[in-house]
Amino acid sequence: MAPTLATAFSRRWWMAVTAVIENLLFSAVLLGWGSLLIMLKSEGFYSYLCKGPGNGSDLNVSDASTSAPPEEYLEMNGWTICKDQDEMLNLAFTVGSFLLSAITLPMGIVMDKYGPRKLRLLGSACFAFSCLLIAYGASDPNSLSILIFFALALNGFGGMCMTFTSLTLPNMFGDLRSTFIALMIGSYASSAVTFPGIKVIYDLGATFITILLVWAACACLVFFNCFINWPLEPFPGPEDMDFTVKIKFSWLGFDHKITGKQFYRQVTTVGRRLSVGNSIKQQHQPPKDLASQEANKLCLSTVDLEVKCKAKEETQSFMKSIFSHIFLLSLITMCVTQLRLIFYMGAMNTILESLTNGDLDTVSVYTSIFGVLQLLCLITSPVIGYVMDWRLKDCEDENDKITKREPGQPRRPDKTIQKIINATRAFIFTNLLLVGFGVTCLIPSLPLQILSFILHTIVRGFIHSAVGGLYAAVYPSSQFGSLTGMQSLISALFALLQQPLFMAMVGPLEGDPLWVNVGLLVLSMLGFCLPMYLLWHSRHLQRLRDEQDEDPKIYVKVNNGSKPEAFV
């Protein structure tokens, strides 16, 4: 039996802690592709594509000058490895990483309508099945290597289900929502440390198949945790519901439970009707007891309440949000950043091999370092969340807008404007780090790659946290999943360009990533378009607010009244 929202609210800290752990172990583990690639090669996946040294005698004299170089016949754990194998496995990674982002659009639409519970149950089941498929493929790689495509697709889908559903959980934490969104995204980005950790266990002697079977069993624990603790209903945003307020007033004419802003709006309307009704009746008859007055003339009904709330929420339609400047510019920023980050992850082993002259032991060490550094996402992502939540508690809320201020009393900052200002700072900082990462990639120095690892990890955590916080601040909470899904789908489609870029690097460019990195660095400059627009937009909103303060009566009549009565 699924728990109610009230029960889930009482368990929100348990759900948040377990969601972070589950994201670390099961969400975007494909981001640790470098370590998984080494293990797949060691288990012989697509090794049959490589020509062994014994085949060299079959070459005729005319082909001798064009034969493959000796390094093409390298072996790993007794299996032959080669460039053709790298290209096929990188294609499988491209498919998996594409689904890791592309599936979020239908997932967001389903989650906004039906809640996160069913998606999370499906995701954990798919992840467990993907582990079983990889284990089955490792039992006979010469015949079953094709299963890696299906396994990585299910792995990406299942991981994104768990990541995406956890992003709705911060709605239960009020003004700390952006901080908890950043924490969830940080754990998602840090999940790249999972495969390096598994590789350490693999190097210690544990068999690949045993590791995957244990991992599948752990995914089943995620299934049971979700089944027990996650509610069927979507988590409402803090502006839509306050779980701490639950009131039942049968004498006020409604016996249904209302919360948050709905309660404030209901009681305010009732108070006005009480005031007007009493002032009229006092002129003609003695006052009656409050409870004896007619409830149907006094109060709003449930239908009235729902209609009034619905009219306000639908002022921002989904299509209007899709074609808004902020969303379109965020698409550009995410597309560029995703392509930059995904290309580096897919090509990292090849880049390291070129810097180490094919020393596989050194490549393995640096791959492990990259995996360990992924934990920085969990540490640094809340920093952006803190930036997104900066000074929000000092801002004006809905009650302050209704309450009259004393003469000379300074007005508190507007919460929406403050959120946009905070997002501007977050995106400027993130894009500066992205440019710094692009510069370090241009320098062919092996020790400098550790700095590239650090910048790559921080940017990956920051960009998702900043975009998630921006959508939560600007758009209705009921559209958060759909908008995030649309953004992820488009950026995933754009990131598919990493495969032809990888093919160009290992082909015509002969393993040299210089010109690819130059082009991506120039493309990264487009990321500054979004913070520039946010800066202009926040100043525009502040100017409108100042005009409203100067002459609120004329402002309300012209902009918010049903009929314009005055023009200036």
Side-chain angles (χ1 to χ4, degrees):
M1 183 65 181
T4 62
L5 278 174
T7 304
F9 178 76
S10 65
R11 303 174 183 174
R12 66 190 185 279
W13 286 101
W14 166 260
M15 294 168 66
V17 172
T18 54
V20 169
I21 297 174
E22 290 166 2
N23 282 349
L24 277 172
L25 297 178
F26 303 102
S27 59
V29 294
L30 280 180
L31 300 178
W33 170 248
S35 297
L36 176 61
L37 179 62
I38 293 175
M39 290 187 286
L40 292 178
K41 287 183 176 181
S42 299
E43 292 297 316
F45 279 85
Y46 284 109
S47 180
Y48 62 82
L49 296 178
C50 305
K51 298 177 181 178
N55 295 334
S57 59
D58 296 335
L59 298 174
N60 55 36
V61 177
S62 61
D63 293 335
S65 59
T66 59
S67 61
E71 58 266 23
E72 190 172 352
Y73 302 134
L74 293 174
E75 289 190 356
M76 183 178 292
N77 198 26
W79 295 91
T80 307
I81 61 175
C82 61
K83 184 178 70 173
D84 292 338
Q85 180 190 33
D86 285 338
E87 292 177 356
M88 185 61 71
L89 291 176
N90 189 75
L91 181 60
F93 166 71
T94 302
V95 172
S97 60
F98 170 74
L99 285 177
L100 197 63
S101 299
I103 200 65
T104 50
L105 176 58
M107 193 183 301
I109 296 173
V110 171
M111 188 176 67
D112 285 342
K113 187 172 183 180
Y114 299 106
R117 176 185 171 89
K118 295 178 181 178
L119 273 179
R120 197 168 184 86
L121 292 174
L122 177 62
S124 56
C126 287
F127 191 95
F129 187 59
S130 73
C131 294
L132 296 178
L133 278 182
I134 298 176
Y136 183 55
S139 64
D140 186 10
N142 287 329
S143 303
L144 301 174
S145 291
I146 188 65
L147 290 180
I148 195 64
F149 281 87
F150 301 100
L152 294 186
L154 287 172
N155 189 286
F157 172 76
M160 185 48 66
C161 281
M162 284 185 273
T163 302
F164 212 58
T165 52
S166 67
L167 293 181
T168 62
L169 190 58
N171 285 342
M172 289 189 166
F173 292 91
D175 287 336
L176 295 176
R177 177 166 58 171
S178 293
T179 300
F180 274 88
I181 287 177
L183 186 62
M184 296 300 168
I185 293 177
S187 60
Y188 150 80
S190 296
S191 61
V193 76
T194 304
F195 273 128
I198 288 177
K199 181 178 176 296
V200 172
I201 300 175
Y202 179 75
D203 291 339
L204 292 176
T207 63
F208 191 56
I209 295 177
T210 302
I211 294 173
L212 290 170
L213 292 178
V214 173
W215 205 7
C218 292
C220 294
L221 296 179
V222 179
F223 183 93
F224 287 114
N225 180 52
C226 176
F227 185 81
I228 295 172
N229 294 304
W230 286 66
L232 283 172
E233 301 90 344
F235 297 118
E239 68 278 357
D240 300 324
M241 175 173 272
D242 183 357
F243 287 94
T244 62
V245 180
K246 287 190 176 180
I247 300 180
K248 185 175 182 180
F249 285 102
S250 58
W251 67 273
L252 280 181
F254 55 92
D255 58 357
H256 54 284
K257 294 181 180 179
I258 60 173
T259 53
K261 287 186 178 181
Q262 293 181 348
F263 168 70
Y264 179 81
R265 187 181 298 112
Q266 179 86 333
V267 173
T268 302
T269 306
V270 168
R272 290 172 181 170
R273 294 185 182 182
L274 280 171
S275 177
V276 174
N278 284 339
S279 62
I280 293 175
K281 290 185 178 182
Q282 284 175 359
Q283 299 175 5
H284 301 87
Q285 59 185 18
K288 295 182 179 180
D289 182 64
L290 182 64
S292 64
Q293 298 186 35
E294 297 181 18
N296 60 343
K297 296 181 180 179
L298 186 65
C299 306
L300 295 174
S301 66
T302 309
V303 177
D304 294 332
L305 181 64
E306 291 176 352
V307 169
K308 289 178 179 293
C309 296
K310 187 176 181 181
K312 185 174 181 179
E313 290 175 357
E314 289 184 351
T315 54
Q316 177 83 340
S317 67
F318 180 69
M319 293 306 298
K320 184 177 180 181
S321 300
I322 287 290
F323 292 103
S324 63
H325 292 89
I326 291 178
F327 184 76
L328 293 177
L329 289 174
S330 70
L331 281 182
I332 295 176
T333 301
M334 282 302 299
C335 286
V336 171
T337 307
Q338 281 285 82
L339 179 61
R340 168 76 271 193
L341 298 177
I342 292 294
F343 171 77
Y344 187 80
M345 282 189 289
M348 183 180 65
N349 282 27
T350 303
I351 295 173
L352 292 175
E353 287 176 9
S354 66
L355 293 176
T356 59
N357 296 321
D359 187 351
L360 297 181
D361 292 334
T362 305
V363 171
S364 180
V365 170
Y366 273 80
T367 302
S368 299
I369 293 174
F370 177 77
V372 172
L373 289 175
Q374 300 311 300
L375 287 175
L376 283 176
C377 288
L378 188 59
I379 301 172
T380 57
S381 290
V383 175
I384 283 295
Y386 182 75
V387 172
M388 298 291 289
D389 288 332
W390 178 255
R391 294 185 61 188
L392 290 185
K393 291 184 178 180
D394 301 331
C395 294
E396 184 181 65
D397 55 21
E398 293 294 329
N399 297 342
D400 294 331
K401 294 179 180 180
I402 299 175
T403 305
K404 277 190 174 183
R405 301 194 315 273
E406 296 295 332
Q409 180 183 1
R411 189 172 185 180
R412 297 166 68 186
D414 182 78
K415 182 171 286 190
T416 301
I417 297 176
Q418 186 63 43
K419 287 179 179 179
I420 295 175
I421 292 174
N422 293 344
T424 304
R425 296 168 179 165
F427 279 104
I428 289 176
F429 185 48
T430 303
N431 282 297
L432 287 175
L433 292 177
L434 182 64
V435 171
F437 168 71
V439 171
T440 59
C441 289
L442 296 177
I443 304 174
S445 171
L446 187 61
L448 191 62
Q449 294 308 304
I450 296 180
L451 179 59
S452 298
F453 294 165
I454 295 174
L455 291 176
H456 180 279
T457 302
I458 295 175
V459 169
R460 191 157 48 82
F462 276 14
I463 192 65
H464 289 288
S465 302
V467 170
L470 178 63
Y471 289 173
V474 176
Y475 300 110
S477 60
S478 60
Q479 298 178 6
F480 179 82
S482 302
L483 290 174
T484 305
M486 177 68 75
Q487 171 262 116
S488 298
L489 172 61
I490 296 176
S491 60
L493 288 172
F494 190 79
L496 289 177
L497 292 174
Q498 75 94 14
Q499 179 66 14
L501 289 177
F502 179 80
M503 299 292 291
M505 185 188 72
V506 299
L509 298 178
E510 298 179 351
D512 185 5
L514 176 63
W515 291 110
V516 176
N517 286 329
V518 169
L520 292 176
L521 177 60
V522 173
L523 201 61
S524 300
M525 298 298 177
L526 293 176
F528 288 98
C529 296
L530 178 59
M532 290 175 62
Y533 176 79
L534 290 177
L535 184 63
W536 173 86
H537 186 58
S538 63
R539 292 179 177 177
H540 174 69
L541 292 179
Q542 185 62 48
R543 185 168 61 251
L544 292 179
R545 189 168 185 257
D546 293 339
E547 292 174 359
Q548 180 182 3
D549 286 343
E550 292 174 2
D551 199 340
K553 182 176 181 181
I554 293 180
Y555 180 86
V556 170
K557 289 294 183 182
V558 172
N559 293 283
N560 295 331
S562 59
K563 295 181 180 180
E565 298 182 8
F567 292 92
V568 177

